[in-house]
């Protein structure tokens, strides 16, 4: 059986997943399903990129260790893929032990070959990109990606002799027109290789500057450059460099990679030269797509325009969302995301064209043939036209999907769908029924049902659940098998007269309601479930030893006043029976008039580390009890300083 191996980039864990990440991953899932449909043993890899400066900085910002931090975001990616029903075979993390082994084997192999050397280098280092830039590559002295001023760093490092492979790579790209596609990106990489411009690649970072990485096998004072480490994931995941486990490499390599244009250079230049240097087969092709923009602007957290794919899939339906992504982006170019575009695409293509076709044909069939599949009589030219239109569209669709031209493939497939709707109008089954022409009526419906079945199967890679539903509505269970597509194309009849088919379809609802309204509902729902989560967390069990760590003391409030710089905070002095009263800052201003609290007995957590709140030190926490909008202070009649145990 032939094999196919599709990969997504492994995503950085310094930020949460968004529409862009979901897009590439949905495309990879579609391709995996597409090749499975063609009878191929298809495999999909995704994962997370977890080493490097960027990650360490993000972890520090959240007061976490790098490992703790990467575990959290990597799990978020996994959870999103589960919600989006992504059928990946493997989720790789660059902190996996097997990956580390593989990277070290790759480094050692290239080192032993003499293609890695030690040298001194000074360059403009962008921490966002985790790479050095040459003077020429900077734009007005700034990093072209991040528009920030890079830091000039000079240090001793290991270098990969990438320049040695410049001519080879150029020739390889010229000899293999589909190696990097679409063509504009192939040309971009060729332009990068024009002249004698390729420099050697710095592939190490001294541990004195960065420890969070994979140690070089030939120098323990250095870790591997994050891009060298990350790119190797595509082969480490298949067990390359790991003697016990490399059979998948033999079986599935070379890969078909999916990336957006932001990471063209590492994939178009670093990666093939690394493979060449290690005497490994070069990947099959690099498929490069553009950006999803929001109102012509790149998504960014600071602009607050990051699209949440989970919300879109939940609200519009996962399959409708997938269809929109594949249909509205011409692979390679940027596309514009907006809920208006999404609604208009769903309403026109899915509700009006495809959904309507299914609804009307199924309900007519129920009415005229009691849900049984009618027989096919003699075919007219109009009937033949439907069969041939579907056949042509199917063949084009299959070819265009192989070329990752999803939008064009789907556009073509919608031609017979629209034609079938027109055919219903022109054949007017209701008139045939009235005239008592049941044989012709049966043929018309059977032509429609058979061709709807073909469309339903072809759509499985794009809209898996809806495709299965459509097939089941036509009385047929979906099972993948090696000859599925051959059978589908070579034969006009797939349904049987004893099949019982559904009377109604209801596949794709129309969207009229302003999305904002629904969003508010979702936020409310989330808040509710967060509250529920809080309750669950509150009632989670802890060890007795953990409880014993708390030093809870009884005290009396001596003074209480508004915090000078914060409306929500009150400043207290509380007598805990110690030498001096404690100053405690508490966020309860909204619930109490401070003067009423003077003299009240309270319970205080007395062993929290002191913390500054709006410039004033807080030396403990006053305990409160909360129910809905109501808050009261915990109290005890015991003398000040009594320990609660
Ligand atoms: O670059 N539109 O990870 P990353 C479309 N760790 N796709 C988008 C997008 C957008 N607006 N934004 C992001 C890295 N993407 C490295 C990769 S691979 C060995 C290492 C998608 O988290 C797109 O696939 O920055 C892009 O290439 C990728 O996310 C970048 O992910």
């Amino acid at each position: 059986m032939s094999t196919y191996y599709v990969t997504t980039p492994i995503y950085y864990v310094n930020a949460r997943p968004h529409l862009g990440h979901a897009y590439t991953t949905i495309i990879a899932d579609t391709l995996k399903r597409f090749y499975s449909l063609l009878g191929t043993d298809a495999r999909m890899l995704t994962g997370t990129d977890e080493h490097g400066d960027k990650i360490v900085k993000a972890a520090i910002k959240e007061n976490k260790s790098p490992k703790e931090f990467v575990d959290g975001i990597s799990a978020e990616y996994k959870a999103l893929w589960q919600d989006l029903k992504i059928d990946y075979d493997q989720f790789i993390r660059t902190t996996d032990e097997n990956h580390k082994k593989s990277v070290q084997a790759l480094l050692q192999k290239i080192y032993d070959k003499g293609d890695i050397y030690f040298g001194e280098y000074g360059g403009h280092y962008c921490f966002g990109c985790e790479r050095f830039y040459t003077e020429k590559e900077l734009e007005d002295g700034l990093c072209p990606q991040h528009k920030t001023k890079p830091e000039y760093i000079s240090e001793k490092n290991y270098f990969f002799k990438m320049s040695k492979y410049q001519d080879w790579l150029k020739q390889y790209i010229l000899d293999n027109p589909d190696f990097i596609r679409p063509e504009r990106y192939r040309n971009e990489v060729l332009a990068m290789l024009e002249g004698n411009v390729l420099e050697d690649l710095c592939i190490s970072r001294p541990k004195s500057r960065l420890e969070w990485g994979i140690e070089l096998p030939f120098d323990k004072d250095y870790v591997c450059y994050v891009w060298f480490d990350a790119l190797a994931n595509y082969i480490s995941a298949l067990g390359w460099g790991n003697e016990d486990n490399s059979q998948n490499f033999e079986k599935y390599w070379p890969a078909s990679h999916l990336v957006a244009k932001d990471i063209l250079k590492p994939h178009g230049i670093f990666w093939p030269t690394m493979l060449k240097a290690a005497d490994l087969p070069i990947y099959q092709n690099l498929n490069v797509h553009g950006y999803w923009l929001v109102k012509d602007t790149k998504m960014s957290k600071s602009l607050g325009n990051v699209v949440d794919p989970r919300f879109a899939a939940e609200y519009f339906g996962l399959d409708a969302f997938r269809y929109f992504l594949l249909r509205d982006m011409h692979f390679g170019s940027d596309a514009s995301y907006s809920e208006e575009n999404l609604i208009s695409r769903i309403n026109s293509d899915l509700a009006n064209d495809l959904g309507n076709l299914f609804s009307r044909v199924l309900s007519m069939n129920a009415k005229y043939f009691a849900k049984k599949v009618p027989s096919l009589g003699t075919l007219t030219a109009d009937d033949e036209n439907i069969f041939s239109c579907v056949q042509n569209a199917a063949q084009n669709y299959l070819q265009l999907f192989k070329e990752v031209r999803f939008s064009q493939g789907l556009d073509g497939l919608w031609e017979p769908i629209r034609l079938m709707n027109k055919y219903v109008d022109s054949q007017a089954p209701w008139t045939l029924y009235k005239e008592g022409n049941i044989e012709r009526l049966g043929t018309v419906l059977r032509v429609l049902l058979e061709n709807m079945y073909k469309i339903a199967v072809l759509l499985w890679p794009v809209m898996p659940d809806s495709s299965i539903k459509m097939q089941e509505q036509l009385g047929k269970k979906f099972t993948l098998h090696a000859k599925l597509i051959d059978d589908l194309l070579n034969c006009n009849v797939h349904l049987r007269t004893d099949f019982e088919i559904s009377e109604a379809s209801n596949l794709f609802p129309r969207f009229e309601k302003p999305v904002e309204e629904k969003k508010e509902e979702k936020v409310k729902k989330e808040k509710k479930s967060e509250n529920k989560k809080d309750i669950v967390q509150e009632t989670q069990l802890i060890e007795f030893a953990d409880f014993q760590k708390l030093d809870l003391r009884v005290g009396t409030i001596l003074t209480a006043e508004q915090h000078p710089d914060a409306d929500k905070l009150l400043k207290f002095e509380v007598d805990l029976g110690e030498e001096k009263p404690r100053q405690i800052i508490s966020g309860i201003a909204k619930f109490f008039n401070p003067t009423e609290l003077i003299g009240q007995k309270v319970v205080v957590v007395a062993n929290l580390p002191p913390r500054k709140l709006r410039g004033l030190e807080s030396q403990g926490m006053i305990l409160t009890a909360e129910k809905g909008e109501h808050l009261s202070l915990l109290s005890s009649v015991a003398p000040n300083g009594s320990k609660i145990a």
Side-chain angles (χ1 to χ4, degrees), residues 9-12 18 20-21 23-24 49 77 227 230-231 233-234 258-263 267 289-293 298-299 329:
I10 45 170
Y11 304 111
Y12 283 131
H18 60 58
H21 306 113
Y23 173 72
T24 320
D49 188 355
Y77 270 96
W227 265 107
L231 288 162
N233 92 88
Y234 301 129
L258 276 173
V259 295
K261 59 186 182 181
D262 53 339
I263 49 178
H267 284 83
H289 63 77
Y291 283 143
W292 278 100
L293 304 174
K298 214 182 151 190
M299 273 180 285
M329 178 175 265

Short mmCIF file of all heavy atoms in Angstrom, two decimals, residues 9-12 18 20-21 23-24 49 77 227 230-231 233-234 258-263 267 289-293 298-299 329, ligand 1:
data_model
loop_
_atom_site.label_atom_id
_atom_site.label_comp_id
_atom_site.label_asym_id
_atom_site.label_seq_id
_atom_site.Cartn_x
_atom_site.Cartn_y
_atom_site.Cartn_z
N PRO A 9 3.41 22.65 11.04
CA PRO A 9 4.53 23.15 11.85
C PRO A 9 4.29 22.70 13.29
O PRO A 9 3.14 22.45 13.68
CB PRO A 9 4.41 24.67 11.76
CG PRO A 9 3.48 24.94 10.63
CD PRO A 9 2.60 23.75 10.49
N ILE A 10 5.33 22.56 14.06
CA ILE A 10 5.09 22.35 15.49
C ILE A 10 5.00 23.76 16.07
O ILE A 10 5.88 24.59 15.86
CB ILE A 10 6.16 21.47 16.16
CG1 ILE A 10 7.57 21.87 15.75
CG2 ILE A 10 5.89 20.01 15.85
CD1 ILE A 10 8.65 21.20 16.56
N TYR A 11 3.92 24.03 16.78
CA TYR A 11 3.63 25.40 17.17
C TYR A 11 4.36 25.80 18.44
O TYR A 11 4.56 24.98 19.34
CB TYR A 11 2.11 25.57 17.35
CG TYR A 11 1.35 25.16 16.09
CD1 TYR A 11 0.55 24.02 16.06
CD2 TYR A 11 1.49 25.90 14.91
CE1 TYR A 11 -0.11 23.64 14.90
CE2 TYR A 11 0.83 25.52 13.75
CZ TYR A 11 0.04 24.39 13.76
OH TYR A 11 -0.61 24.01 12.60
N TYR A 12 4.73 27.07 18.49
CA TYR A 12 5.39 27.58 19.70
C TYR A 12 4.40 27.57 20.85
O TYR A 12 3.22 27.92 20.66
CB TYR A 12 5.83 29.03 19.49
CG TYR A 12 7.07 29.18 18.66
CD1 TYR A 12 7.10 30.10 17.60
CD2 TYR A 12 8.23 28.46 18.94
CE1 TYR A 12 8.25 30.26 16.84
CE2 TYR A 12 9.36 28.63 18.18
CZ TYR A 12 9.36 29.52 17.13
OH TYR A 12 10.48 29.69 16.38
N HIS A 18 -4.65 29.89 17.86
CA HIS A 18 -5.70 30.72 17.27
C HIS A 18 -6.08 30.21 15.88
O HIS A 18 -5.61 29.14 15.46
CB HIS A 18 -5.30 32.20 17.27
CG HIS A 18 -4.05 32.51 16.49
ND1 HIS A 18 -3.91 32.22 15.16
CD2 HIS A 18 -2.88 33.10 16.85
CE1 HIS A 18 -2.73 32.62 14.73
NE2 HIS A 18 -2.07 33.15 15.74
N GLY A 20 -5.13 30.86 12.90
CA GLY A 20 -4.04 30.52 11.98
C GLY A 20 -3.54 29.10 12.22
O GLY A 20 -3.37 28.31 11.28
N HIS A 21 -3.33 28.77 13.49
CA HIS A 21 -2.86 27.41 13.81
C HIS A 21 -3.93 26.39 13.43
O HIS A 21 -3.63 25.31 12.91
CB HIS A 21 -2.55 27.29 15.30
CG HIS A 21 -1.59 28.33 15.79
ND1 HIS A 21 -1.95 29.31 16.68
CD2 HIS A 21 -0.29 28.56 15.49
CE1 HIS A 21 -0.92 30.10 16.90
NE2 HIS A 21 0.10 29.66 16.19
N TYR A 23 -6.13 26.64 11.10
CA TYR A 23 -6.21 26.50 9.64
C TYR A 23 -5.22 25.45 9.14
O TYR A 23 -5.60 24.51 8.45
CB TYR A 23 -5.95 27.85 8.96
CG TYR A 23 -5.88 27.72 7.46
CD1 TYR A 23 -7.02 27.46 6.71
CD2 TYR A 23 -4.66 27.81 6.78
CE1 TYR A 23 -6.96 27.32 5.33
CE2 TYR A 23 -4.59 27.66 5.41
CZ TYR A 23 -5.74 27.41 4.68
OH TYR A 23 -5.68 27.25 3.32
N THR A 24 -3.94 25.63 9.47
CA THR A 24 -2.93 24.69 8.96
C THR A 24 -3.26 23.27 9.41
O THR A 24 -3.10 22.31 8.66
CB THR A 24 -1.52 25.07 9.46
OG1 THR A 24 -1.39 26.49 9.42
CG2 THR A 24 -0.44 24.44 8.62
N ASP A 49 6.53 23.12 19.76
CA ASP A 49 7.94 23.50 19.71
C ASP A 49 8.24 24.17 21.05
O ASP A 49 7.71 25.24 21.33
CB ASP A 49 8.06 24.50 18.54
CG ASP A 49 9.47 24.87 18.21
OD1 ASP A 49 10.38 24.44 18.94
OD2 ASP A 49 9.67 25.61 17.22
N TYR A 77 -3.16 22.98 23.13
CA TYR A 77 -3.20 22.61 21.71
C TYR A 77 -3.91 21.27 21.54
O TYR A 77 -4.79 21.13 20.70
CB TYR A 77 -1.78 22.55 21.13
CG TYR A 77 -1.32 23.87 20.57
CD1 TYR A 77 -0.55 24.74 21.32
CD2 TYR A 77 -1.70 24.27 19.29
CE1 TYR A 77 -0.14 25.97 20.80
CE2 TYR A 77 -1.30 25.49 18.76
CZ TYR A 77 -0.52 26.33 19.53
OH TYR A 77 -0.14 27.54 19.01
N TRP A 227 15.68 26.22 16.03
CA TRP A 227 15.16 25.84 14.71
C TRP A 227 15.73 24.51 14.23
O TRP A 227 15.04 23.72 13.59
CB TRP A 227 15.43 26.94 13.68
CG TRP A 227 14.24 27.85 13.55
CD1 TRP A 227 14.13 29.13 14.01
CD2 TRP A 227 12.98 27.54 12.93
NE1 TRP A 227 12.88 29.62 13.72
CE2 TRP A 227 12.16 28.67 13.06
CE3 TRP A 227 12.46 26.40 12.30
CZ2 TRP A 227 10.86 28.71 12.57
CZ3 TRP A 227 11.17 26.45 11.81
CH2 TRP A 227 10.38 27.59 11.96
N ALA A 230 13.81 22.03 16.16
CA ALA A 230 12.40 21.95 15.76
C ALA A 230 12.24 21.24 14.41
O ALA A 230 11.36 20.38 14.26
CB ALA A 230 11.79 23.34 15.68
N LEU A 231 13.05 21.58 13.44
CA LEU A 231 12.89 20.99 12.10
C LEU A 231 13.07 19.47 12.14
O LEU A 231 12.41 18.73 11.41
CB LEU A 231 13.88 21.63 11.12
CG LEU A 231 13.53 23.08 10.73
CD1 LEU A 231 14.73 23.79 10.14
CD2 LEU A 231 12.35 23.11 9.75
N ASN A 233 11.96 17.53 14.10
CA ASN A 233 10.78 16.80 14.61
C ASN A 233 10.14 15.93 13.54
O ASN A 233 9.56 14.90 13.83
CB ASN A 233 9.76 17.79 15.18
CG ASN A 233 8.73 18.23 14.15
OD1 ASN A 233 7.70 17.60 13.96
ND2 ASN A 233 9.01 19.31 13.44
N TYR A 234 10.25 16.39 12.29
CA TYR A 234 9.57 15.67 11.22
C TYR A 234 10.13 14.26 11.03
O TYR A 234 9.42 13.38 10.56
CB TYR A 234 9.68 16.45 9.90
CG TYR A 234 9.09 17.85 9.97
CD1 TYR A 234 9.83 18.97 9.55
CD2 TYR A 234 7.80 18.06 10.43
CE1 TYR A 234 9.30 20.25 9.59
CE2 TYR A 234 7.25 19.34 10.47
CZ TYR A 234 8.01 20.43 10.05
OH TYR A 234 7.48 21.69 10.10
N LEU A 258 3.37 21.23 5.57
CA LEU A 258 2.47 22.39 5.45
C LEU A 258 2.97 23.49 6.35
O LEU A 258 3.19 23.25 7.55
CB LEU A 258 1.08 22.01 5.95
CG LEU A 258 0.13 21.30 5.00
CD1 LEU A 258 -1.11 20.89 5.78
CD2 LEU A 258 -0.27 22.20 3.85
N VAL A 259 3.11 24.69 5.83
CA VAL A 259 3.53 25.84 6.65
C VAL A 259 2.90 27.10 6.07
O VAL A 259 2.45 27.09 4.93
CB VAL A 259 5.07 26.05 6.63
CG1 VAL A 259 5.81 24.89 7.29
CG2 VAL A 259 5.59 26.28 5.22
N ALA A 260 2.93 28.19 6.86
CA ALA A 260 2.57 29.48 6.27
C ALA A 260 3.85 30.19 5.83
O ALA A 260 4.95 29.76 6.16
CB ALA A 260 1.79 30.33 7.27
N LYS A 261 3.68 31.31 5.15
CA LYS A 261 4.82 31.99 4.54
C LYS A 261 5.83 32.52 5.57
O LYS A 261 6.97 32.78 5.22
CB LYS A 261 4.32 33.12 3.64
CG LYS A 261 3.49 34.17 4.38
CD LYS A 261 2.91 35.15 3.39
CE LYS A 261 2.12 36.22 4.11
NZ LYS A 261 1.51 37.19 3.21
N ASP A 262 5.41 32.67 6.84
CA ASP A 262 6.33 33.21 7.85
C ASP A 262 7.55 32.33 8.07
O ASP A 262 8.60 32.81 8.48
CB ASP A 262 5.60 33.42 9.20
CG ASP A 262 4.87 32.18 9.69
OD1 ASP A 262 4.57 31.29 8.86
OD2 ASP A 262 4.60 32.09 10.90
N ILE A 263 7.39 31.02 7.81
CA ILE A 263 8.51 30.13 8.11
C ILE A 263 9.01 29.43 6.84
O ILE A 263 9.43 28.28 6.86
CB ILE A 263 8.15 29.13 9.24
CG1 ILE A 263 6.80 28.45 8.98
CG2 ILE A 263 8.11 29.85 10.58
CD1 ILE A 263 6.43 27.42 10.06
N HIS A 267 12.16 26.30 6.38
CA HIS A 267 11.71 25.06 5.72
C HIS A 267 12.24 24.94 4.29
O HIS A 267 12.45 23.83 3.81
CB HIS A 267 10.18 24.99 5.71
CG HIS A 267 9.61 24.63 7.04
ND1 HIS A 267 9.40 25.56 8.03
CD2 HIS A 267 9.24 23.43 7.56
CE1 HIS A 267 8.92 24.95 9.10
NE2 HIS A 267 8.81 23.66 8.85
N HIS A 289 1.17 28.32 2.64
CA HIS A 289 -0.05 29.12 2.50
C HIS A 289 0.16 30.53 3.05
O HIS A 289 1.16 30.83 3.70
CB HIS A 289 -1.25 28.43 3.15
CG HIS A 289 -1.13 28.22 4.64
ND1 HIS A 289 -1.33 29.22 5.54
CD2 HIS A 289 -0.85 27.10 5.36
CE1 HIS A 289 -1.18 28.73 6.76
NE2 HIS A 289 -0.87 27.45 6.69
N GLY A 290 -0.84 31.39 2.77
CA GLY A 290 -0.75 32.78 3.22
C GLY A 290 -1.33 32.95 4.61
O GLY A 290 -1.55 31.97 5.33
N TYR A 291 -1.59 34.19 4.97
CA TYR A 291 -2.13 34.49 6.30
C TYR A 291 -3.63 34.71 6.26
O TYR A 291 -4.15 35.29 5.31
CB TYR A 291 -1.54 35.80 6.81
CG TYR A 291 -0.13 35.71 7.31
CD1 TYR A 291 0.75 36.76 7.09
CD2 TYR A 291 0.31 34.61 8.03
CE1 TYR A 291 2.05 36.71 7.56
CE2 TYR A 291 1.61 34.56 8.49
CZ TYR A 291 2.47 35.60 8.26
OH TYR A 291 3.73 35.55 8.71
N TRP A 292 -4.26 34.30 7.32
CA TRP A 292 -5.62 34.76 7.57
C TRP A 292 -5.50 36.14 8.19
O TRP A 292 -4.81 36.32 9.20
CB TRP A 292 -6.36 33.82 8.53
CG TRP A 292 -6.90 32.65 7.79
CD1 TRP A 292 -6.35 31.41 7.74
CD2 TRP A 292 -8.07 32.63 6.98
NE1 TRP A 292 -7.11 30.60 6.93
CE2 TRP A 292 -8.17 31.32 6.45
CE3 TRP A 292 -9.05 33.57 6.63
CZ2 TRP A 292 -9.22 30.94 5.60
CZ3 TRP A 292 -10.08 33.19 5.79
CH2 TRP A 292 -10.17 31.90 5.28
N LEU A 293 -6.15 37.11 7.55
CA LEU A 293 -6.13 38.47 8.07
C LEU A 293 -7.50 38.78 8.63
O LEU A 293 -8.51 38.20 8.22
CB LEU A 293 -5.81 39.46 6.94
CG LEU A 293 -4.51 39.19 6.18
CD1 LEU A 293 -4.39 40.15 5.01
CD2 LEU A 293 -3.31 39.32 7.11
N LYS A 298 -2.97 41.66 10.25
CA LYS A 298 -2.55 40.38 10.83
C LYS A 298 -3.16 40.25 12.23
O LYS A 298 -3.31 41.25 12.93
CB LYS A 298 -1.02 40.34 10.91
CG LYS A 298 -0.49 38.95 10.70
CD LYS A 298 1.00 38.86 10.82
CE LYS A 298 1.32 37.45 11.30
NZ LYS A 298 2.67 37.26 11.69
N MET A 299 -3.50 39.02 12.59
CA MET A 299 -4.06 38.83 13.94
C MET A 299 -2.98 39.08 14.98
O MET A 299 -1.85 38.63 14.81
CB MET A 299 -4.52 37.39 14.10
CG MET A 299 -5.91 37.14 13.65
SD MET A 299 -6.32 35.42 13.91
CE MET A 299 -5.46 34.64 12.61
N MET A 329 -9.96 30.59 1.33
CA MET A 329 -8.55 30.93 1.16
C MET A 329 -8.03 30.23 -0.09
O MET A 329 -8.10 29.01 -0.19
CB MET A 329 -7.71 30.51 2.37
CG MET A 329 -6.23 30.82 2.15
SD MET A 329 -5.19 30.48 3.59
CE MET A 329 -5.12 32.08 4.37
O1 LIG B 1 6.77 29.25 13.64
N1 LIG B 1 -2.69 32.66 9.13
O2 LIG B 1 5.49 28.29 15.32
P1 LIG B 1 4.24 29.29 15.38
C1 LIG B 1 -2.42 31.41 8.76
N2 LIG B 1 7.53 26.83 16.06
N3 LIG B 1 -1.61 30.59 9.44
C2 LIG B 1 -1.06 31.05 10.55
C3 LIG B 1 -1.30 32.36 11.02
C4 LIG B 1 -2.17 33.18 10.24
N4 LIG B 1 -2.49 34.43 10.59
N5 LIG B 1 -0.63 32.54 12.16
C5 LIG B 1 0.02 31.36 12.43
C6 LIG B 1 6.60 28.43 14.53
N6 LIG B 1 -0.25 30.46 11.47
C7 LIG B 1 7.65 27.37 14.77
C8 LIG B 1 7.50 26.30 13.72
S1 LIG B 1 8.22 24.00 12.61
C9 LIG B 1 9.55 23.03 12.62
C10 LIG B 1 8.53 25.21 13.79
C11 LIG B 1 0.22 29.05 11.42
O3 LIG B 1 3.49 28.91 16.61
C12 LIG B 1 1.04 28.80 10.18
O4 LIG B 1 1.07 27.41 9.94
O5 LIG B 1 4.66 30.69 15.22
C13 LIG B 1 2.41 29.27 10.59
O6 LIG B 1 3.46 28.81 9.76
C14 LIG B 1 2.48 28.69 11.98
O7 LIG B 1 1.13 28.85 12.49
C15 LIG B 1 3.49 29.38 12.88
O8 LIG B 1 3.35 28.83 14.16
#
